[in-house]
Amino acid sequence: MSALFTGWIGAFALSALTLGAAMTFVAYMTWIERKVAARMQNRIGPYEVGVPHGWLQPLADVAKLLVKEDITPRDADRVLFNLGPVLVVVPALIGFAFIPLARGLAIADHAYSFLFFIAFASLTLLGIFAAGWSSNNKYALLSALRMAAMAVSYEIPLILSLLIPVVLAGSFRLTDLVEAQRGLWFIAYPLVGQLGFLIFLLCALAEGNKSPLDILEAESELIAAYNVEYSGIKFALFYAGEYAHTLAISGLAATVFLGGYLGPSFLPGPVWLILKCLALFLVILWIRWSLMRFRIDQAIRLNWMVLLPASLVNLMIVAWWVAGR
């Protein structure tokens, strides 16, 4: 397998394969979410396009958005307005390049791949703020400012919780983090593993704009968030970026806490990684469609008063234990 993907042609083929698989998963995540939401709320959900379960509905949605009129507000900053959707979706897709599908099978298996993943994942905030500011709409700007406050706040405990596997493995390379879990997954470490994973999951919900920490849109005061002035394919790119970010974060969580591609030998490594990603995505959907939303003050207080101190104490305990062993 490693010989097949050697050289520029192999790297290009692996990149195209990963990008195509990621975009396909992103499209069908909308279908999975609508099905799960319909089941939890006793509704039918997509059922007409692609009998028997509406499995062609994502393709119909994409076709519908492609033919819709692309409207740009008269007083908008056209450069940033058009650049916003790209800045949201591209960094989220780049994150897939650093996730190892198997040992020696990653587009960018760099010694600091963990740090690169975090850096690119953070860039989506620039696209959101550019969209909110350039729309020349006060509701879009307020929504973007809310997202900036949330992202800056929750980024700190998220990174601190991710540093726990890094300290345990002694490496910033994601492949090394997976290999260090051959004996025991990091989530199975008593208390510190479970607490680190829980903090990471809560912070990922906030950064991915998922309930109960989705405060970007509110029908009573903010209408439809920072992308309210967008239509057609640009609107679709924002949603693709949101789902791609959620999928990439699920892949990172599966890699650093759940053993990544490791699993019983009757299935190949990439299949185990995909199954773990889907399991995490279903957990996120279960939380989203089960719990009520926080207010912005409650969400910010939860971060600074609970998650940040807990993540700091958890990291210090792990560092003390690793230094003493």
Side-chain angles (χ1 to χ4, degrees):
M1 182 67 78
S2 58
L4 178 64
F5 293 105
T6 301
W8 287 100
I9 297 177
F12 178 78
L14 182 58
S15 302
L17 183 65
T18 303
L19 181 61
M23 291 304 294
T24 303
F25 271 109
V26 166
Y28 273 90
M29 276 184 164
T30 62
W31 178 79
I32 293 174
E33 176 159 15
R34 293 172 70 178
K35 282 291 187 183
V36 171
R39 180 58 63 92
M40 294 183 71
Q41 297 183 346
N42 197 23
R43 295 186 284 117
I44 296 177
Y47 207 83
E48 298 296 328
V49 186
V51 177
H53 291 289
W55 60 277
L56 290 178
Q57 186 64 49
L59 301 181
D61 291 339
V62 171
K64 180 177 65 178
L65 289 169
L66 284 175
V67 299
K68 276 194 172 182
E69 183 181 4
D70 180 24
I71 300 173
T72 301
R74 183 183 59 190
D75 296 326
D77 185 318
R78 289 182 174 274
V79 175
L80 287 180
F81 188 81
N82 293 320
L83 195 59
V86 179
L87 287 177
V88 169
V89 72
V90 171
L93 292 176
I94 290 177
F96 292 104
F98 303 106
I99 297 177
L101 302 176
R103 189 169 190 173
L105 186 59
I107 297 174
D109 190 19
H110 194 273
Y112 298 98
S113 54
F114 170 83
L115 297 178
F116 280 116
F117 184 100
I118 296 298
F120 279 105
S122 302
L123 287 179
T124 56
L125 178 61
L126 293 178
I128 291 173
F129 196 77
W133 183 82
S134 64
S135 296
N136 195 29
N137 181 308
K138 61 182 179 183
Y139 299 109
L141 180 59
L142 282 173
S143 177
L145 289 173
R146 278 191 176 198
M147 183 61 196
M150 284 285 286
V152 171
S153 301
Y154 278 85
E155 191 82 15
I156 301 171
L158 183 142
I159 294 176
L160 290 177
S161 62
L162 285 173
L163 284 177
I164 291 170
V166 171
V167 172
L168 291 172
S171 173
F172 283 108
R173 189 193 296 271
L174 289 175
T175 302
D176 292 343
L177 267 64
V178 175
E179 292 299 321
Q181 299 177 75
R182 285 200 174 274
L184 185 67
W185 292 359
F186 287 142
I187 194 175
Y189 278 63
L191 186 60
V192 293
Q194 295 91 40
L195 182 58
F197 179 75
L198 178 62
I199 294 173
F200 170 82
L201 184 61
L202 290 174
C203 296
L205 289 173
E207 287 215 325
N209 190 31
K210 301 295 184 187
S211 290
L213 297 165
D214 60 328
I215 61 168
L216 300 191
E217 56 185 298
E219 293 180 357
S220 58
E221 73 268 22
L222 284 181
I223 52 177
Y226 58 89
N227 53 12
V228 65
E229 297 289 356
Y230 286 86
S231 60
I233 188 63
K234 294 174 187 171
F235 180 81
L237 284 176
F238 278 118
Y239 269 83
E242 183 178 316
Y243 280 95
H245 182 77
T246 303
L247 182 60
I249 287 293
S250 299
L252 180 65
T255 300
V256 301
F257 283 107
L258 302 177
Y261 52 79
L262 299 179
S265 58
F266 59 86
L267 287 177
V271 176
W272 281 118
L273 180 63
I274 292 172
L275 291 177
K276 292 171 184 176
C277 289
L278 288 177
L280 287 172
F281 183 68
L282 290 176
V283 170
I284 291 173
L285 292 186
W286 170 62
I287 295 173
R288 179 175 190 178
W289 293 100
S290 300
L291 302 179
M292 293 184 292
R293 304 169 67 216
F294 281 68
R295 294 196 315 263
I296 184 170
D297 60 312
Q298 294 171 331
I300 297 296
R301 190 182 302 118
L302 172 67
N303 174 71
W304 293 109
M305 302 296 290
V306 178
L307 297 182
L308 180 59
S311 59
L312 276 172
V313 171
N314 202 29
L315 181 60
M316 286 191 290
I317 292 174
V318 172
W320 173 77
W321 180 74
V322 171
R325 68 181 178 182

